[in-house]
Every structure is written in structure tokens, then in C-alpha cells.
């Protein structure tokens, strides 16, 4: 035993040291980038805009390298904006802005309705986890799927789709499905890292990413985009509108996912004997639905009804209806979750990152930095005068490539959506370019290529069921199909709807 420990220590310690050293270098590089951008002689951009540009450079390095965890880097962004903007001159009055006023700018995102919706969505997801309703839904679907491998793959896709309507958390959705699928594989006697495991677990993770695009409330990054659109473009995107635009794309991608997975990974068996019995046993262990599960199911279905009919049967926004639903969930005896449990299960860091991302994006737009960056990018890529589909093709490809460096689509949306909004105003497209921005938001949710591209991928990867190479083997064709469908829909379906 002593000999084994001695052999392993030299291999593990350098990795940890390299990781710490890399993060330290990245941390330092973020501040260097901040200083460099501030020192650039940008005569075409006002000083406040240059501060915003410098903060974007700082944020991107922090977010891409994860030099510190996202909530901490977000707090640092607030502090730096407050200091840099606070000690600068107001271009209109010539007076010093003041740190108090600057802090209001840095925390502007916390006062948006989108943050209220994200908070409510996180509580809704926590309620699903606390009651176990999402697990019951997953088990019921898999029981109907049967024991054939192809049917179980379809079942994994269906589960992710159903849960996306009710559970606004990718991690929670993946967390409900992955353990069940691993249990089925283990019951059959195969190892966790078997090809069957890889097939099922990668399918579940990729399906979650696909559902992000089809359903407005399925992902926080969608709400980032909607928040910017409402604040900066003066237009509202209802749940039903988003579903009309994106659901057909997600449906075709789900079908493509099935065939890509079956072609890319050949499992050891085409049937899991005893799988249905295992699922049945797990459902029996859960027992009958509790009163809390029933109440949550009723609230979730009613809430979905309000989301789907927003702007047609009523004018109650998604944020308001979700807040009301969460209010019912938290009421003692009537609700389904108490505040103490909510405090433990809600990822408050996500809320901080979301709000600060909105603040940074708004800062970029209000100071003209996003417009300046858009003009520079447009000129470099030669976008001026191009047909809209060609513009979407080029920008979407850039979007996919830059996503390789981001582990958080929420952070990516915070960095890019303001630039896309500024770019949209220069395009000859209907509705002020809202369609172009929405389509780029769809592409921001492409987390298909690497395990590090999305939290649900990392959760699945942590199970040990597959390798990065296996994930990439399925992610490359899935990304290509998704990209081509974006272009096809831009030229046809979205064009017919007047989106582009």
C-alpha cells in the first residue's frame, strides 16, 4: 500500500500545482488585459466606452479560464466598474461620476425582470429536486420505453424534452436522468465506462442542450438575451413566440441526435434484459405520489399554461406568472418547499453571475462600446452589404468557435448578445434585427462539442461513462447538422415568419 501511494503522489501533485499556476497566470492576465485596453489610444470611443471594453476583456479572460469561480469574478466585475467609472469624468457635466452612482450602474442588472424570472426558475427547479417529481417523470418515461437500446435512447431524449418544460435547470434535468440510466446499465452487468453507458449518458446530455434552444424558460442564457432585447430593443419575446420559432428546429435536432448517436457509438447489446423490471422496482420504492408532488405537478402545469398563452389569452409576463407560482410553492402547508430547503438547493451563484452579466452587457450598450466593437468586427469580417443568410452563416460560425472557450453559456450570452444587438441595427432585416439576435442566441446554446462546453456535459462526464473523444465523436456531426439547420431555417421557415 505504501508503495502505491509513493508512485501516485508524483503524478498527482504536479497536475494540481500546474492547475493552480495556470489559474494564477490567468488571473494576472485578466488585469493585464484590463490595463492594456484602458491604455489604448481609441479616439473613436469615449472614455466610459473604453472602460466598458476593458471590463469585457477582463470578464472574458476570467470566464474562459475560470481563474476564479464565476460568482467571485462577477463580484470583481462589479467592484472594478464601480471604481473605474466612479473616478472618471461625466462626459456631459465634466464632474466626477462618483462611486455611489457608478455602483448603481454596475448593479443595474439586479433590478431587471429577467433576474426575478431566473430566481423563480431556480426555486422551481429546487422544488422539483426536493420533491423528486422530476425523477418520477423520468422513471415513468423509461418504463414505457422498454428494454430495447434504441427505445431507451429515444426515452432519454423524450425525458429531457418533457423536463425542459417544467425544470428550468440543465443540471437538475441531467441529474435526474443520468443516475437512472447508469443504474439500468449496472443492472445488466456492464461497467460504467461501457459503450452502452456512453451511448445513453451522452444522449441525455446532448438532448438537454437541444432543449435549451426550443424552450425559452429552459436555460438562463435565453433569459439573458430576452432581457437585453426588452431593455435595449424595446421588444418583448413571449414564451409562445420563442416556442414557435425554435421548437421545430429542436424537434429536427432531436431526430438527428437519435441517428447520430446510434451511428457513432455501437453498444455491447441491443437490449437491456430486466431493465423494465428495474425501473418498475424504483418507481415502487418511490411509493405513491406525495401530496407535495401532486401540488407541484398542478402548479407546474398551470404555470406552463400561463407561459404558453402569454400575449394571446393574457398579458401577464413569464416573470410575473413564475414569481406568483413560486409564491404559492413557498407558502407553508399550501406550498411544496420551505425557505430553508430553498436556500440549500438554489444555486445563488448562478443568480449573481446572471445579474452581473446583464449589468456588464447594459454598460457596453449604454456607453457605445458594443456598437464600436460591432463596427470593428463587421468591418473585419466584411459583413456590410452581405445577404442576411450569409451574415448569419459567418457570425454563427464565429459564435460556435468562441463557445469552445466558454464553460458557461450564460456568460457567453452576456458577452456577445450586446455586440449582436449593436450589429443587428446595421442590418437590413425586419423588426429592428430582433430575429438576428434570437438566432445567435440559439447558436450560443450549442454545447455539443466538448464536455466542458456546458454544465450538464460536465455532470454527465463526471459519471465516468464516456471519454472526451467519444463525446467529440458525436458532438462534431451534431454541431454540423445544427449549423446547417440554422442556415436552412434562416432561408426558409424563419424568413417566412418574418423573423429575418
Amino acid at each position: 500500500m505504501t508503495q502505491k501511494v509513493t508512485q501516485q503522489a508524483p503524478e498527482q501533485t504536479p497536475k494540481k500545482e500546474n492547475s493552480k499556476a495556470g489559474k494564477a497566470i490567468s488571473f494576472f492576465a485578466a488585469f493585464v488585459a484590463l490595463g492594456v485596453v484602458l491604455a489604448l489610444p481609441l479616439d473613436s470611443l469615449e472614455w466610459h466606452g473604453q472602460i466598458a471594453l476593458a471590463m469585457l476583456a477582463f470578464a472574458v479572460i476570467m470566464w474562459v479560464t475560470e481563474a476564479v469561480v464565476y460568482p467571485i469574478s462577477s463580484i470583481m466585475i462589479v467592484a472594478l466598474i464601480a471604481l473605474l467609472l466612479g473616478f472618471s469624468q461625466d462626459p456631459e457635466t465634466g464632474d466626477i461620476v462618483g462611486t455611489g452612482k457608478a455602483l448603481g450602474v454596475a448593479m443595474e442588472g439586479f433590478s431587471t425582470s429577467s433576474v426575478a424570472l431566473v430566481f423563480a426558475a431556480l426555486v422551481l427547479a429546487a422544488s422539483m429536486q426536493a420533491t423528486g417529481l422530476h425523477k418520477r417523470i423520468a422513471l415513468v418515461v423509461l418504463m414505457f420505453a422498454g428494454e430495447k437500446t434504441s427505445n431507451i435512447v429515444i426515452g432519454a431524449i423524450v425525458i429531457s424534452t418533457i423536463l425542459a418544460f417544467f425544470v428550468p435547470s440543465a443540471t437538475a434535468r441531467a441529474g435526474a436522468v443520468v443516475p437512472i440510466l447508469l443504474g439500468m446499465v449496472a443492472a445488466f452487468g456492464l461497467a460504467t465506462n461501457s459503450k452502452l453507458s456512453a451511448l445513453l449518458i451522452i444522449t441525455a446530455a446532448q438532448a438537454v442542450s437541444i432543449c435549451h434552444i426550443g424552450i425559452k424558460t429552459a436555460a438562463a442564457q435565453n433569459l439573458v438575451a430576452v432581457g437585453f432585447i426588452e431593455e435595449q430593443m424595446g421588444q418583448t419575446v413571449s414564451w409562445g413566440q420563442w416556442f414557435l420559432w425554435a421548437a421545430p428546429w429542436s424537434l429536427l435536432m432531436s431526430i438527428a441526435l437519435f441517428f447520430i448517436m446510434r451511428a457513432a457509438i455501437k453498444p455491447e447489446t441491443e437490449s437491456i434484459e430486466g431493465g423494465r423490471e428495474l425501473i418498475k422496482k424504483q418507481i415502487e420504492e418511490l411509493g405513491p405520489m406525495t401530496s407535495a408532488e401532486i401540488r407541484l405537478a398542478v402548479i407546474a402545469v398551470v404555470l406552463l399554461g400561463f407561459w404558453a398563452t402569454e400575449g394571446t389569452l393574457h398579458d401577464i409576463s413569464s416573470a410575473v406568472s413564475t414569481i406568483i407560482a413560486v409564491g404559492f410553492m413557498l407558502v407553508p402547508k399550501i406550498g411544496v418547499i420551505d425557505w430553508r430547503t430553498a436556500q440549500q438547493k438554489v444555486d445563488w451563484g448562478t443568480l449573481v453571475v446572471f445579474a452581473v452579466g446583464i449589468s456588464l452587457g447594459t454598460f457596453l450598450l449604454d456607453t457605445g462600446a458594443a456598437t464600436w466593437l460591432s463596427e470593428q468586427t463587421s468591418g473585419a469580417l466584411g459583413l456590410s452589404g452581405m445577404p442576411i443568410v450569409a451574415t448569419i452563416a459567418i457570425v454563427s460560425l464565429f459564435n460556435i468557435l468562441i463557445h469552445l472557450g466558454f464553460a458557461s453559456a450564460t456568460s457567453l450570452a452576456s458577452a456577445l448578445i450586446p455586440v449582436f444587438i449593436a450589429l443587428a441595427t446595421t442590418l437590413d432585416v425586419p423588426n429592428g434585427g430582433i430575429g438576428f439576435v434570437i438566432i445567435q442566441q440559439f447558436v450560443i446554446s450549442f454545447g455539443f462539442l466538448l464536455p466542458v462546453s456546458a454544465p450538464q456535459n460536465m455532470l454527465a462526464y463526471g459519471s465516468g461513462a464516456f471519454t472526451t473523444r467519444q463525446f467529440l465523436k458525436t458532438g462534431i456531426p451534431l454541431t454540423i447538422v445544427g449549423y446547417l439547420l440554422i442556415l436552412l431555417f434562416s432561408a426558409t421557415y424563419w424568413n417566412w415568419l418574418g423573423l429575418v
Side-chain angles (χ1 to χ4, degrees):
M1 286 181 66
T2 308
Q3 189 177 4
K4 287 182 180 179
V5 172
T6 307
Q7 290 174 344
Q8 289 176 355
E11 295 177 3
Q12 292 177 356
T13 305
K15 288 183 180 179
K16 290 181 180 179
E17 289 178 352
N18 290 339
S19 176
K20 287 181 180 179
K23 288 183 182 295
I25 292 170
S26 300
F27 186 84
F28 178 71
F31 282 95
V32 171
L34 177 73
V36 168
V37 176
L38 287 175
L40 290 174
L42 302 178
D43 297 331
S44 57
L45 187 64
E46 290 187 358
W47 179 241
H48 286 185
Q50 194 160 343
I51 292 174
L53 207 61
M55 287 310 311
L56 177 64
F58 174 86
V60 167
I61 292 174
M62 281 289 185
W63 288 337
V64 167
T65 63
E66 294 184 83
V68 294
V69 295
Y70 289 111
I72 293 177
S73 61
S74 298
I75 293 170
M76 292 171 66
I77 289 168
V78 169
L80 285 169
I81 291 176
L83 287 173
L84 293 172
L85 184 61
F87 288 106
S88 66
Q89 282 188 330
D90 190 317
E92 294 181 2
T93 65
D95 298 329
I96 297 298
V97 173
T99 53
K101 185 177 178 181
L103 183 60
V105 173
M107 299 191 71
E108 187 175 347
F110 285 88
S111 63
T112 62
S113 60
S114 297
V115 171
L117 179 53
V118 170
F119 160 72
L122 290 171
V123 176
L124 178 60
S127 300
M128 285 282 180
Q129 290 177 293
T131 60
L133 180 60
H134 63 329
K135 183 179 179 181
R136 188 182 295 275
I137 294 170
L139 287 169
V140 169
V141 171
L142 283 176
M143 188 177 73
F144 280 104
E147 299 180 342
K148 288 186 177 180
T149 301
S150 291
N151 290 348
I152 296 171
V153 170
I154 294 172
I157 297 171
V158 170
I159 291 167
S160 297
T161 304
I162 292 174
L163 291 180
F165 285 96
F166 304 104
V167 185
S169 166
T171 308
R173 296 199 298 273
V177 183
V178 168
I180 297 170
L181 295 174
L182 286 175
M184 293 181 72
V185 173
F188 190 72
L190 291 174
T192 301
N193 60 351
S194 63
K195 289 183 179 179
L196 180 60
S197 284
L199 171 65
L200 298 180
I201 304 305
I202 293 176
T203 298
Q206 300 285 32
V208 169
S209 294
I210 289 171
C211 293
H212 276 174
I213 296 164
I215 300 167
K216 171 185 167 183
T217 49
Q221 62 263 27
N222 296 345
L223 305 181
V224 169
V226 170
F228 282 130
I229 288 168
E230 290 178 350
E231 292 290 327
Q232 301 297 328
M233 305 182 81
Q235 300 187 59
T236 302
V237 181
S238 69
W239 192 95
Q241 283 178 311
W242 187 291
F243 191 74
L244 176 66
W245 298 333
W249 183 94
S250 286
L251 176 61
L252 291 179
M253 278 296 287
S254 296
I255 295 170
L257 173 62
F258 171 78
F259 288 105
I260 288 170
M261 293 304 305
R262 294 300 279 130
I265 300 178
K266 302 295 182 184
E268 294 85 350
T269 177
E270 289 299 326
S271 179
I272 301 180
E273 295 179 15
R276 177 172 282 170
E277 287 301 315
L278 174 68
I279 297 299
K280 208 170 183 180
K281 184 180 178 183
Q282 290 187 41
I283 293 175
E284 289 173 357
E285 288 174 356
L286 287 178
M289 283 186 73
T290 63
S291 58
E293 284 181 90
I294 294 170
R295 290 195 299 273
L296 179 57
V298 171
I299 291 172
V301 170
V302 172
L303 180 58
L304 179 61
F306 272 91
W307 285 343
T309 55
E310 176 193 353
T312 53
L313 298 182
H314 61 85
D315 292 322
I316 303 173
S317 70
S318 300
V320 173
S321 58
T322 311
I323 286 287
I324 293 170
V326 167
F328 277 108
M329 289 181 206
L330 291 170
V331 174
K333 296 184 180 179
I334 298 174
V336 298
I337 186 174
D338 60 76
W339 181 246
R340 186 182 295 275
T341 305
Q343 282 182 305
Q344 295 170 348
K345 291 190 175 293
V346 169
D347 185 358
W348 300 102
T350 297
L351 195 63
V352 172
V353 174
F354 180 89
V356 173
I358 292 286
S359 295
L360 177 59
T362 303
F363 188 36
L364 286 163
L365 287 162
D366 290 348
T367 58
T371 302
W372 182 89
L373 191 59
S374 168
E375 290 171 352
Q376 302 304 311
T377 305
S378 177
L381 296 176
L383 299 179
S384 57
M386 276 190 178
I388 184 59
V389 175
T391 302
I392 290 172
I394 293 172
V395 177
S396 296
L397 187 59
F398 162 79
N399 205 345
I400 290 169
L401 292 175
I402 200 170
H403 195 169
L404 293 173
F406 278 80
S408 168
T410 304
S411 298
L412 183 60
S414 300
L416 292 185
I417 290 298
V419 180
F420 293 148
I421 288 176
L423 178 59
T425 60
T426 67
L427 303 176
D428 184 20
V429 287
N431 301 317
I434 184 176
F436 173 79
V437 178
I438 289 289
I439 290 169
Q440 292 310 313
Q441 175 54 38
F442 295 161
V443 180
I444 281 173
S445 290
F446 277 32
F448 308 129
L449 281 171
L450 296 168
V452 295
S453 296
Q456 64 272 15
N457 298 353
M458 288 304 296
L459 185 148
Y461 183 69
S463 68
F466 58 87
T467 63
T468 301
R469 185 177 179 181
Q470 286 175 312
F471 197 90
L472 196 60
K473 188 178 179 182
T474 65
I476 290 175
L478 199 59
T479 301
I480 292 171
V481 171
Y483 176 72
L484 293 177
L485 279 178
I486 288 287
L487 300 186
L488 177 63
F489 271 53
S490 297
T492 56
Y493 180 67
W494 291 329
N495 182 261
W496 301 334
L497 291 178
L499 193 59
V500 292

